[in-house]
Amino acid sequence: MKLPYYYLWLTGLFIALDSFNIRYVNAQDLSQQVIIRRTAYGVPHVTADNMLAAGFAMGYLQLEDYGQTVVEGMVKARGEWTQYHEMNAQERSLSLDRDASDKLKYSRAVETFSLLKKETQDMLTGFASGMNKYIELHKSEFPAWIEPNFTAYDVHARDIGGHSAAAVSGFLRRLERMSAARSTTGNRMGILASESSTVWARIADQTEIPHPDEGSNTWALAPSRTTSGKAILLRNPHLSWNAGYYEAHLTIPGVMNFYGDFRIGGPLITIGGYNEHLGWSTTNNDPDTDEIYSFQVSPQSPDHYLLDGVSLPLEKKRVSVKFKNGEGLGEESREFLFTPFGPVFHRANGKIYVIRDAADGEYRLAEQFLMMMKARNLQEYKEAMRIQSKPSSNFTYADSKGNIFYVWNAMTPQLPHASGGDTSAIAVSRSEQVWQKVVPFDSLPQLLNPKGGYLHNENDPFHYTNLNEVFDAADFPQYFSQPMLRLRSQHALDLIASKKKFSLEDVVKLKYSMRLLLAERVKDDLIRAVQSTAPGGEIAAALKQLEIWDNTVNRESKGGVLFEAWWERYLELANGGKRISPTAESAGYPARADSLFAEIWSPAKPASTPRGLASAGRAIEAFRWAVEQCNKRYGSWDLAWGDVNRARLGSTDIPISGATGDLGSFSVLWFIPHKLDNQKRETRGGDGWIIAVEFGKTPRAYSVLAYGQSNKPDSPYFADQLELFANKQMKPVAFTEADIRKQVIREYRPGKEVIN
């Protein structure tokens, strides 16, 4: 069944009206209502008269620094990507799937835009207008098909929540394995690859699995733990280096004064930052925000399901999508099925499978962040958080009053049943068996001003956020995250869980800790094991290097390259020669830990286990392999960490410190093969935007954006902070008017004349 004609007509009318509004705000010349000042390393400081002008500046700025990246995101949000890109048949089919699903989100954006507060609408409208202004003035930077016709709906659509593709994929793969195990032919077509699979299933099958080290570190120190007597907040995300962190300062006098990491593609998604009163940082968590339900198909109709003793019809939505066909266009359609409880992603064996995700259709994310950016105290900050539009993430907070606060934020359903955990479907025959509400914000795990004066999170669950006030897992539902404290988290505790007081400069130095906690836990056992074989020659020399190694991945340190290769092989041998997940295994939790460590991770010793090696024999075999492998890969095992591991962006190629979190490194980087030298590796992701803030009468901060303010290779702000980052330094943040004036290198109005 197609969308009703009146609905499509209204959607078109809304878009037309929005386009008119953009022309109107341009006619008012928003350029005259805003000034941009670039300070050291190109950081933009925006001073705007109102929200429209602020959004206008942010849209213009992001295209100035990220151009095509921003535009491509908007085209995808419209569901028009395939319309402008030639592809082979297989690529086009998947792209059409994605465009069709994006068009559904776009409809949700149109439907909900009027429900946003006017200030939020103004920011989104201004952002689209700023984009259009930049495109008008710089057409040569973009493909000919790009037109300056973006709207607030495009910007809003990027922030519309959806269901978890990973949950759908995980469930279907398990279903596929079970079906294959029951099959006697051994060659049945997989569920995810079959022609009868749904659009949702096909998209889920192609969803990229994030790197296991994607995440963040964060600390909050109370005044009792700082030399200045003022609270300090550290934010340290580590994602892929194309994630698009964008450092900026946005001021609307009397309304807001916020410095943070505005994510590329919009004006308000600010995962961390601060104003003159308070600041916050996020770290990834892993709440259970969805459940998979199975309904019995009605015997009378395959498009009906049984609930409460009644046969109910599935809702059908057919979406048409255009695709590039040579010099012309083609068109295909995709059908989506829905129930009031969520989308249908699979049908088989008389069952209809539905995913009910708390984030699906959520539209207030930008509004929540705007309220947080404007908050003046803890009460206002919590009020913004109670909107609960952010489905996940730990939030850590500090303020000028000396408060530090943590919440395990989650849109977690209040389940009337045990969780299926995305591995099994809950069979439903009555409405009350399906969850209806999420756990309220005030019932989520929280800590305010805990004993010991510190908070920390490195993507592990909430239980050990402070060792003096450990959360009891029994106080929360079973479907909440269970206790775990991996090596990166334990490294953080080693650094701050004491009675020592730190300055802001101390925190910056601690952030760049390059110790490998794993080496501190297992190296002695490794050395003893290899020594017991009375090694000679190259093995003895390599072992000697490991003995004198300082257990760090500082770029000048020798030993880390060999140790990393040894651990890689030791993991494989513990898994019968197959590669296993380093993140889970190195933590000693939960599976196969006893094949790795002499003492596995234990809640009784959360910050000092695992330790020791479970198998001396495997350790010896792995060490011999590592020496040989390092010779093959890198030409030698006798190399400094930075001889192999490089920070490479454009023409900059320099040695770098840092390693993956599974080795127990607090400073996280991960690498791919070097594109120019097969005996080296280059950074692919890890520490990106880092900021440390001290909250006094006036905030004081240091920051660094490792890959720079722009992804345009010809920009002066491309990779210009890379050496600063590699040298374990940060730049002082210009937050006050006096500091901005001291650092300003360019002053202008977006799309207008340069003022200075």
Side-chain angles (χ1 to χ4, degrees):
M1 185 175 66
K2 292 185 177 181
L3 291 169
Y5 172 78
Y6 70 82
Y7 183 82
L8 295 174
W9 181 84
L10 284 173
T11 299
L13 176 62
F14 288 148
I15 294 173
L17 287 172
D18 194 67
S19 298
F20 172 79
N21 287 336
I22 287 175
R23 287 194 294 272
Y24 173 76
V25 297
N26 278 344
Q28 300 301 302
D29 199 358
L30 291 177
S31 294
Q32 294 302 120
Q33 301 172 35
V34 62
I35 292 176
I36 297 171
R37 289 176 289 182
R38 297 264 193 176
T39 55
Y41 300 98
V43 175
H45 301 259
V46 174
T47 303
D49 293 348
N50 50 62
M51 292 286 181
L52 269 171
F56 180 82
M58 292 302 294
Y60 191 93
L61 273 168
Q62 289 196 15
L63 263 69
E64 197 169 41
D65 289 326
Y66 270 80
Q68 187 72 13
T69 300
V70 185
V71 171
E72 288 177 355
M74 295 298 167
V75 173
K76 290 176 181 177
R78 286 175 167 177
E80 296 179 352
W81 184 254
T82 321
Q83 183 173 333
Y84 299 107
H85 296 82
E86 196 74 58
M87 306 174 189
N88 63 40
Q90 184 177 2
E91 292 171 336
R92 184 173 68 203
S93 179
L94 178 61
S95 187
L96 287 169
D97 286 343
R98 288 174 172 156
D99 276 351
S101 66
D102 286 336
K103 282 183 177 293
L104 290 176
K105 282 190 176 182
Y106 196 88
S107 296
R108 177 67 173 165
V110 172
E111 172 191 340
T112 58
F113 185 78
S114 63
L115 303 178
L116 299 172
K117 293 180 179 179
K118 184 180 183 300
E119 59 184 2
T120 310
Q121 293 182 21
D122 284 351
M123 284 289 284
L124 302 179
T125 300
F127 189 90
S129 184
M131 286 183 61
N132 292 336
K133 186 66 174 178
Y134 187 88
I135 294 169
E136 287 174 8
L137 298 175
H138 304 87
K139 283 288 290 182
S140 62
E141 293 184 17
F142 302 95
W145 55 267
I146 294 294
E147 296 292 337
N149 59 2
F150 292 101
T151 74
Y153 293 146
D154 304 335
V155 188
H156 184 37
R158 293 203 62 179
D159 300 331
I160 298 295
H163 67 263
S164 169
V168 169
S169 176
F171 173 80
L172 287 177
R173 290 185 188 282
R174 181 178 179 275
L175 202 63
E176 187 173 274
R177 288 194 299 270
M178 292 172 59
S179 180
R182 291 192 297 265
S183 171
T184 57
T185 63
N187 60 358
R188 59 176 292 279
M189 180 177 285
I191 293 170
L192 289 165
S194 68
E195 293 181 1
S196 61
S197 65
T198 66
V199 177
W200 302 124
R202 295 195 298 270
I203 292 174
D205 187 39
Q206 296 299 316
T207 300
E208 184 178 353
I209 299 174
H211 190 281
D213 255 330
E214 284 198 358
S216 306
N217 304 323
T218 188
W219 297 339
L221 299 174
S224 63
R225 294 295 311 283
T226 66
T227 57
S228 65
K230 301 166 185 175
I232 291 177
L233 180 70
L234 171 72
R235 169 159 172 72
N236 170 209
H238 38 260
L239 299 178
S240 172
W241 274 18
N242 63 3
Y245 284 107
Y246 190 73
E247 186 171 356
H249 185 192
L250 184 57
T251 302
I252 303 173
V255 178
M256 64 184 295
N257 182 16
F258 184 82
Y259 195 107
D261 59 338
F262 296 80
R263 299 301 296 275
I264 289 298
L268 292 175
I269 306 305
T270 49
I271 307 300
Y274 69 99
N275 59 33
E276 62 266 57
H277 307 290
L278 56 86
W280 73 87
S281 173
T282 60
T283 53
N284 293 352
N285 62 357
D286 189 26
D288 186 0
T289 64
D290 59 76
E291 281 299 314
I292 292 173
Y293 294 107
S294 66
F295 297 88
Q296 193 67 37
V297 174
S298 173
Q300 286 76 36
S301 172
D303 289 338
H304 284 63
Y305 61 99
L306 299 177
L307 187 67
D308 299 323
V310 178
S311 176
L312 301 171
L314 296 172
E315 179 187 4
K316 296 182 180 181
K317 292 183 180 179
R318 184 165 289 278
V319 180
S320 295
V321 188
K322 295 178 181 178
F323 63 88
K324 186 174 177 60
N325 186 15
E327 295 301 313
L329 292 175
E331 188 170 0
E332 289 188 16
S333 64
R334 297 290 189 268
E335 184 178 74
F336 298 86
L337 301 177
F338 294 87
T339 71
F341 308 107
V344 175
F345 66 87
H346 186 59
R347 294 197 284 180
N349 301 319
K351 295 180 180 179
I352 293 173
Y353 293 92
V354 169
I355 181 167
R356 181 162 174 77
D357 195 315
D360 201 1
E362 176 54 56
Y363 65 92
R364 300 164 298 169
L365 184 60
E367 189 151 284
Q368 177 176 330
F369 277 121
L370 179 56
M371 288 182 63
M372 292 164 64
M373 293 159 67
K374 292 172 58 183
R376 296 164 295 180
N377 51 52
L378 181 57
Q379 181 180 352
E380 291 183 2
Y381 171 82
K382 284 186 176 182
E383 197 58 35
M385 290 292 293
R386 289 189 182 100
I387 293 176
Q388 286 189 274
S389 62
K390 184 79 168 69
S392 61
S393 291
N394 304 281
F395 278 75
T396 303
Y397 163 104
D399 67 27
S400 60
K401 301 290 186 184
N403 295 304
I404 60 174
F405 173 71
Y406 163 87
V407 59
W408 183 78
N409 177 73
M411 295 173 68
T412 299
Q414 295 179 339
L415 297 180
H417 51 74
S419 173
D422 299 336
T423 60
S424 61
I426 305 299
V428 171
S429 60
R430 302 185 311 279
S431 300
E432 62 266 24
Q433 293 173 302
V434 180
W435 72 262
Q436 300 297 327
K437 298 179 180 179
V438 298
V439 175
F441 172 80
D442 293 304
S443 297
L444 296 171
Q446 303 181 17
L447 277 179
L448 174 63
N449 300 326
K451 297 174 184 177
Y454 73 88
L455 297 166
H456 82 102
N457 187 270
E458 294 76 30
N459 308 120
D460 281 330
F462 50 86
H463 305 81
Y464 302 102
T465 301
N466 181 295
L467 293 180
N468 302 296
E469 299 189 27
V470 175
F471 289 99
D472 188 341
D475 293 338
F476 300 96
Q478 276 292 109
Y479 53 84
F480 275 36
S481 297
Q482 295 303 299
M484 180 190 297
L485 199 64
R486 292 173 292 184
L487 292 175
R488 181 161 48 93
S489 299
Q490 295 181 40
H491 188 159
L493 287 166
D494 276 359
L495 296 173
I496 65 169
S498 64
K499 294 182 179 180
K500 187 176 179 181
K501 294 188 177 184
F502 303 104
S503 67
L504 182 61
E505 288 71 22
D506 290 334
V507 169
V508 171
K509 185 177 180 180
L510 289 175
K511 159 61 206 96
Y512 285 113
S513 172
M514 297 296 167
R515 292 166 47 203
L516 286 193
L517 193 58
L518 179 65
E520 296 175 15
R521 298 285 177 82
V522 304
K523 190 177 84 169
D524 287 349
D525 278 11
L526 169 60
I527 291 171
R528 280 192 293 269
V530 179
Q531 283 177 337
S532 71
T533 67
E538 191 174 35
I539 298 299
L543 187 64
K544 182 64 176 177
Q545 184 190 83
L546 207 64
E547 287 185 74
I548 63 175
W549 173 45
D550 63 359
N551 297 344
T552 76
V553 283
N554 285 308
R555 57 187 178 183
E556 68 277 6
S557 177
K558 286 188 175 183
V561 172
L562 180 61
F563 180 83
E564 181 189 45
W566 166 78
W567 181 246
E568 173 191 337
R569 184 57 177 167
Y570 184 74
L571 285 173
E572 291 175 351
L573 291 174
N575 196 47
K578 297 179 181 178
R579 182 72 182 182
I580 54 178
S581 169
T583 303
E585 292 297 338
S586 66
Y589 185 92
R592 299 196 61 87
D594 58 350
S595 68
L596 296 176
F597 301 105
E599 184 179 3
I600 66 173
W601 182 82
S602 166
K605 299 178 182 179
S608 60
T609 54
R611 64 173 55 253
L613 293 174
S615 172
R618 284 198 295 268
I620 295 165
E621 182 181 347
F623 188 76
R624 291 170 177 158
W625 179 92
V627 172
E628 179 183 353
Q629 194 67 17
C630 284
N631 286 332
K632 287 181 179 178
R633 289 180 184 174
Y634 313 123
S636 174
W637 49 263
D638 187 21
L639 295 169
W641 184 260
D643 292 339
V644 171
N645 297 294
R646 317 289 293 183
R648 178 177 174 270
L649 286 174
S651 60
T652 303
D653 189 339
I654 55 179
I656 194 73
S657 308
T660 52
D662 63 291
L663 298 174
S665 177
F666 188 72
S667 292
V668 172
L669 286 176
W670 62 88
F671 302 90
I672 59 174
H674 199 287
K675 292 182 175 64
L676 303 177
D677 187 338
N678 62 11
Q679 291 191 332
K680 291 181 172 60
R681 305 187 301 185
E682 62 182 77
T683 45
R684 175 63 178 84
D687 286 355
W689 187 67
I690 309 169
I691 190 164
V693 191
E694 181 180 78
F695 291 94
K697 185 176 181 180
T698 300
R700 189 169 70 93
Y702 293 96
S703 73
V704 66
L705 182 57
Y707 40 80
Q709 197 66 30
S710 173
N711 73 345
K712 297 180 178 180
D714 59 348
S715 168
Y717 312 127
F718 175 77
D720 62 332
Q721 298 182 55
L722 191 58
E723 285 202 44
L724 190 72
F725 171 73
N727 292 332
K728 305 178 188 176
Q729 297 173 343
M730 298 187 197
K731 61 186 183 292
V733 168
F735 186 77
T736 66
E737 181 63 24
D739 286 341
I740 294 170
R741 287 179 178 175
K742 287 178 184 176
Q743 287 195 29
V744 69
I745 55 178
R746 184 186 175 207
E747 186 171 336
Y748 60 107
R749 298 185 187 277
K752 291 291 183 180
E753 74 279 0
V754 174
I755 298 173
N756 181 26

